[in-house]
């Protein structure tokens, strides 16, 4: 069993900053890619940012230059630093991890989601 526990989120003013964290725990051999998705009301879930075990990063065009994804492999934790937030960043943010489980293979796990609201 693997669980992803998210922290952070909440209300922030436009132009403000917020930091999200997601810690994976359980039966983990290693984690390949970790990242963040978001889903706004009435819209599809979209990739926000992802980072591989080797440190390669991928960002949605809408957040490039504003968001930074990082990870701490010793803690099985991924972070999302969000700066210069805009109202259109408002969404539920979901942590995702591709977890390698010994003798079982690689599986995709999701956090429960955390609300980020950008509003004045």
């Amino acid at each position: 069993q693997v669980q992803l526990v998210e922290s952070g989120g909440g209300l922030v003013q436009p132009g403000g900053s917020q930091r999200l964290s997601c810690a994976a725990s359980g039966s983990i051999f290693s984690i390949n890619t970790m990242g963040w998705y978001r889903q706004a009301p009435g819209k599809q879930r979209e990739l926000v940012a992802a980072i591989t075990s080797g440190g390669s990063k991928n960002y949605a065009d809408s957040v490039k230059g504003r968001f930074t994804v990082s990870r701490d492999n010793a803690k099985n934790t991924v972070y999302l630093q969000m700066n210069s937030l805009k109202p259109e960043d408002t969404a539920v943010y979901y942590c995702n991890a591709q977890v390698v489980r010994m003798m079982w293979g690689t599986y995709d796990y999701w956090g429960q989601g955390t609300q980020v609201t950008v509003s004045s």
Side-chain angles (χ1 to χ4, degrees), residues 38 48 59 63 65-68 80-83 85 89 93:
R38 69 186 182 188
V48 177
Y59 296 97
V63 307
R66 300 188 298 119
F67 290 12
T68 302
L80 185 66
Q81 178 65 47
M82 303 182 292
N83 299 325
L85 283 162
D89 295 318
Y93 285 70

Side-chain angles (χ1 to χ4, degrees), residues 17-112:
S17 298
Q18 198 164 46
R19 180 178 172 90
L20 305 181
S21 299
C22 174
S25 62
S27 181
I28 299 171
F29 177 74
S30 63
I31 302 176
N32 291 336
T33 301
M34 302 186 78
W36 296 90
Y37 291 72
R38 69 186 182 188
Q39 187 167 19
K43 296 185 178 181
Q44 296 293 112
R45 187 174 298 187
E46 65 174 348
L47 175 68
V48 177
I51 181 169
T52 69
S53 60
S56 296
K57 301 175 181 179
N58 185 33
Y59 296 97
D61 288 340
S62 60
V63 307
K64 287 181 179 177
R66 300 188 298 119
F67 290 12
T68 302
V69 64
S70 61
R71 64 190 285 173
D72 184 338
N73 290 327
K75 298 180 179 179
N76 288 327
T77 299
V78 62
Y79 307 92
L80 185 66
Q81 178 65 47
M82 303 182 292
N83 299 325
S84 302
L85 283 162
K86 304 175 181 179
E88 50 263 44
D89 295 318
T90 297
V92 177
Y93 285 70
Y94 296 91
C95 176
N96 173 264
Q98 296 173 357
V99 179
V100 180
R101 299 185 66 188
M102 180 64 72
M103 305 301 294
W104 290 95
T106 302
Y107 298 90
D108 204 44
Y109 292 91
W110 294 89
Q112 291 294 316

